Amino acid sequence: AITIFNYSDLLAYIHYLHHSDENPENRNEFNGNDDDSGVCMNMDNESYETVVKGIGDLFLDLDFVRIVNSNGDGVVSQLLCLHSISTETWEHIERDIPRTYPDVEYFFNTDVQDSVLRVLRALAAEFPSVGYVQGMNFIAAQLLFHCNSDEDRAFLLFRKLITFPKYDLKSVYINGLPKVLKYCCALDTLLKVHNPTLFHHLNGLGLESMLYAQQWIMTLFAYNTNWKVLAQIWDYFFMNGWQAIFRISLCILDDLEGLLKNSDFEECSDTIRDFVQHMPEYICARAKNIHLSAEEVSIIDGALII
């Protein structure tokens, strides 16, 4: 399987395909990053087709090829030179940088912190209707980490997550957070159909999904999920879009049903938070295999209509 830990190589690989003779026999010759620090893809034709049909949607972008192949400054530097952002947005981003994984050694580095800031500023410059919303910092930081600190690649990946209809993070972050509200409402409805006993217990406590799932949606689980499992979640999300987030959310609540049914509001909140922080490695496999009725599938599909 291609995991997020390979994405930097995957970007380089797809760039290579655009500038090769595109002979399938030559695809096995690509060996990742120029400095040999990356993972060798050695991708056969079947794997290549999987990438193009799934994760490849995220990367096959003419803008990516144009920018990576251009001479001079990278896209982030160009955007920061050509566009400005409001003082309020600047200050908001600056405040959140020290709060972004403060206990992770990689982010102790001031150069890395500056790159996260630059990526977020560039996004705010290109998407003024989005600007900056708390939670974007964790996605930017994860992308930067998995792109080996290449801020242009991290920016381009985030840009795709914002613009590509399959992910449409723009609708998650724009003023009023319309998709967050819509998805949380759909998750409540989904839980009511899927597990009415648990739904009525949580609803009776006043614990609506907006109080615990908003963070899952706005950070794609990047806020406090252990990184090994997060990589699997992002693979699943990149391949399947928001279907993955709904299924994982439902699996979390299913797994915790026994504990939640006998807990009060505070205990339920703590239990859900702790579970997500120490997310088990089986969660994606279980999410993929969870049985959903036709009505439940219809609820998810309805929420995903643009």
Side-chain angles (χ1 to χ4, degrees):
I2 299 166
T3 72
I4 193 166
F5 296 101
N6 304 68
Y7 289 161
S8 183
D9 281 332
L10 183 55
L11 283 168
Y13 180 77
I14 291 173
H15 175 57
Y16 152 82
L17 289 175
H18 277 284
H19 294 87
S20 70
D21 61 5
E22 299 192 10
N23 184 340
E25 294 180 359
N26 292 340
R27 287 179 182 150
N28 289 348
E29 297 176 2
F30 180 75
N31 288 311
N33 295 334
D34 292 338
D35 60 4
D36 292 328
S37 62
V39 180
C40 174
M41 297 300 291
N42 286 333
M43 198 181 289
D44 57 27
N45 293 332
E46 182 179 356
S47 297
Y48 170 72
E49 294 302 326
T50 300
V51 170
V52 171
K53 291 176 182 177
I55 304 175
D57 290 340
L58 190 63
F59 306 109
L60 293 175
D61 184 351
L62 291 177
D63 285 341
F64 166 72
V65 176
R66 175 179 58 79
I67 293 165
V68 170
N69 198 40
S70 65
N71 295 318
D73 292 338
V75 61
V76 170
S77 294
Q78 291 177 41
L79 279 168
L80 295 181
C81 286
L82 294 172
H83 303 282
S84 60
I85 61 175
S86 70
T87 302
E88 182 182 3
T89 299
W90 170 281
E91 291 176 348
H92 193 179
I93 295 172
E94 206 166 37
R95 277 198 307 270
D96 278 353
I97 296 302
R99 302 170 183 168
T100 308
Y101 300 123
D103 300 323
V104 177
E105 186 176 354
Y106 173 73
F107 294 103
F108 294 170
N109 188 314
T110 55
D111 289 338
V112 171
Q113 293 180 13
D114 187 55
S115 287
V116 176
L117 184 144
R118 284 167 54 82
V119 168
L120 292 171
R121 283 177 55 205
L123 287 165
E126 182 164 2
F127 302 103
S129 64
V130 173
Y132 170 74
V133 178
Q134 199 167 43
M136 293 173 67
N137 51 319
F138 291 100
I139 295 179
Q142 283 287 336
L143 291 173
L144 190 71
F145 176 75
H146 291 300
C147 287
N148 298 323
S149 301
D150 187 323
E151 61 186 41
D152 284 338
R153 284 180 172 175
F155 168 83
L156 287 162
L157 283 171
F158 207 150
R159 178 178 178 273
K160 261 305 204 184
L161 289 171
I162 288 172
T163 61
F164 199 64
K166 184 176 182 177
Y167 313 110
D168 191 26
L169 284 183
K170 182 176 182 179
S171 295
V172 171
Y173 295 136
I174 59 175
N175 188 39
L177 309 179
K179 275 286 179 72
V180 177
L181 297 172
K182 185 177 183 180
Y183 289 170
C184 284
C185 182
L187 181 57
D188 282 330
T189 304
L190 185 62
L191 182 62
K192 185 177 182 179
V193 173
H194 182 77
N195 193 332
T197 302
L198 181 57
F199 168 79
H200 287 299
H201 174 68
L202 296 179
N203 191 56
L205 296 175
L207 188 58
E208 299 176 346
S209 64
M210 191 69 179
L211 299 176
Y212 56 83
Q214 178 178 352
Q215 200 175 74
W216 304 348
I217 294 166
M218 295 186 70
T219 70
L220 304 178
F221 284 100
Y223 175 68
N224 65 348
T225 301
N226 78 78
W227 287 19
K228 183 176 182 180
V229 177
L230 180 62
Q232 298 171 16
I233 291 172
W234 278 23
D235 277 349
Y236 187 21
F237 174 72
F238 285 175
M239 290 288 287
N240 296 278
W242 288 99
Q243 291 264 0
I245 303 300
F246 278 108
R247 284 176 166 269
I248 290 168
S249 299
L250 210 54
C251 280
I252 291 170
L253 297 171
D254 271 354
D255 268 26
L256 294 175
E257 179 182 6
L259 292 172
L260 296 177
K261 286 194 303 186
N262 298 308
S263 300
D264 59 23
F265 181 97
E266 186 175 346
E267 290 169 338
C268 284
S269 298
D270 291 344
T271 297
I272 293 172
R273 185 188 63 246
D274 292 345
F275 183 88
V276 172
Q277 186 173 355
H278 305 285
M279 193 93 79
E281 292 188 28
Y282 63 71
I283 196 70
C284 286
R286 182 166 294 181
K288 293 171 186 176
N289 294 318
I290 189 172
H291 175 71
L292 297 179
S293 68
E295 184 179 1
E296 290 163 353
V297 171
S298 177
I299 292 167
I300 296 175
D301 290 343
L304 298 179
I305 295 174
I306 299 175

